[in-house]
Amino acid sequence: MDNRPIGVFDSGLGGLSCVKEIMRIMPNENVVYFGDTGRVPYGSRSQETLMKYVRQDIRFLKTFDIKMIIIACGTASSAVLPWIGDEVNTKIAGVVEPAAKAAAAQSRTKKIGVLGTAATVRYGKYVDEIKNICPEAEVFQKACPMFVPLVENGYANSEVTKTIAREYLEELKDKDIDTLILGCTHYPLLKNEIREIMGEDVLLIDSGMTAADYALKVLKENDIQSDEADGTYKYFVSDSPGDFARLGGIFLEKPILENVEKVDIEKY
Ligand code: DGL
């Protein structure tokens, strides 16, 4: 038993897709969430910059005496986690491995698509993980750099997003995939648009959700689950809280009633 919080971070709103699943499957866990809204998007940054950002994000979360960190960001999980995992000194999980495992297990045809940011596609970690588990799999990646700014600015369900989604997904439609990893945690908010284009038969894997499932497994295996009646949630951002609570409520499918606080992340 361990009632310390789980620290979850992302470049912005996307990691809330992981928090949503934490609320569902482990409602008694306390969560500290950090969205690096002052420096979003991560997907177009260099590895050097991402290393700096992620180290600062982790240092900030560690001020809360957390028992585990979830990097609820496909970009940071691909371009940073494999290089810094050992220096963190706390249990840590990214989104790549759990989503890759779920896709490899659930795909019948072993033709799998991966949507992600430019950095995620460049590092190809989803492909590596899937091929590790299932060498015969055919994996098709597609970078969707416009999706994150659209979601962060509240355009998730707009005509412009549908048009851009059609453009991005066009080439995947010919590949005959039966499983598609939403390899960026912002993309579950575009599930309906993506499903409409790809068709009902293509299984969508929500990488935020599978990361939360994996985290629960780690907590159980280490006997460090919380025994509190109800979990509490603290939300921090690195820019003005502005619309974070409103848009975040859409991600969580329930309102964020807690105060969203601004933190000067450069101090960490
Ligand atoms: N949610 C982040 C991810 O999973 C978005 C990265 C970005 O800010 O570009 O990759």
Side-chain angles (χ1 to χ4, degrees):
M1 183 205 83
D2 186 340
N3 291 341
R4 290 178 299 159
I6 302 171
V8 182
F9 75 91
D10 177 45
S11 60
L13 291 157
L16 294 176
S17 54
C18 179
V19 174
K20 181 180 169 191
E21 180 71 354
I22 293 175
M23 288 172 165
R24 192 181 73 82
I25 62 173
M26 34 183 159
N28 46 347
E29 293 296 338
N30 300 307
V31 174
V32 181
Y33 184 83
F34 174 63
D36 200 359
T37 52
R39 308 189 291 197
V40 65
Y42 277 12
S44 51
R45 313 274 176 197
S46 67
Q47 187 182 40
E48 193 188 354
T49 301
L50 289 169
M51 289 272 192
K52 177 188 151 197
Y53 288 179
V54 170
R55 284 191 171 113
Q56 288 177 319
D57 301 347
I58 291 173
R59 276 199 286 270
F60 168 66
L61 287 174
K62 285 184 101 176
T63 63
F64 292 89
D65 189 24
I66 47 180
K67 61 182 170 188
M68 180 174 191
I69 293 173
I70 305 178
I71 302 188
C73 172
T75 304
S77 302
S78 301
V80 180
L81 178 57
W83 287 268
I84 65 151
D86 292 341
E87 72 186 51
V88 176
N89 254 336
T90 303
K91 291 192 175 44
I92 187 157
V95 297
V96 172
E97 209 185 303
K101 278 192 176 140
Q106 292 180 63
S107 169
R108 282 168 291 106
T109 62
K110 306 302 174 204
K111 290 187 176 191
I112 299 168
V114 178
L115 303 181
T117 65
T120 297
V121 166
R122 191 163 66 245
Y123 283 88
K125 295 292 176 192
Y126 283 104
V127 183
D128 294 349
E129 286 292 340
I130 294 167
K131 294 261 190 196
N132 268 343
I133 306 162
C134 180
E136 75 278 16
E138 280 183 77
V139 188
F140 307 94
Q141 301 191 93
K142 179 70 189 172
C144 309
M146 300 281 284
F147 278 172
V148 169
L150 286 165
V151 169
E152 286 287 329
N153 289 289
Y155 283 91
N157 307 113
S158 66
E159 275 311 311
V160 65
T161 300
K162 282 185 192 161
T163 306
I164 290 169
R166 267 194 293 274
E167 177 92 20
Y168 282 150
L169 297 175
E170 189 62 41
E171 66 186 63
L172 279 185
K173 283 200 62 159
D174 300 334
K175 307 289 187 208
D176 210 18
I177 58 170
D178 74 341
T179 304
L180 179 59
I181 298 179
L182 307 181
C184 166
T185 52
H186 279 73
Y187 299 176
L189 217 63
L190 308 175
K191 234 179 206 166
N192 291 342
E193 287 73 14
I194 293 169
R195 188 168 283 133
E196 204 179 301
I197 298 164
M198 297 305 296
E200 292 290 332
D201 294 341
V202 174
L203 174 71
L204 302 183
I205 304 277
D206 176 331
S207 57
M209 198 184 244
T210 47
D213 297 341
Y214 173 74
L216 175 58
K217 196 165 145 253
V218 172
L219 297 185
K220 277 185 179 162
E221 279 169 4
N222 291 277
D223 200 16
I224 51 170
Q225 289 174 272
S226 159
D227 69 351
E228 285 185 8
D230 290 308
T232 58
Y233 306 93
K234 289 189 174 139
Y235 299 96
F236 296 88
V237 290
S238 53
D239 201 349
S240 143
D243 270 351
F244 184 88
R246 187 179 65 79
L247 294 172
I250 300 175
F251 256 96
L252 296 175
E253 290 179 8
K254 65 176 177 190
I256 292 182
L257 302 172
E258 294 82 356
N259 198 21
V260 179
E261 284 180 52
K262 183 181 172 189
V263 52
D264 182 359
I265 195 67
E266 289 296 348
K267 286 210 294 225
Y268 293 87

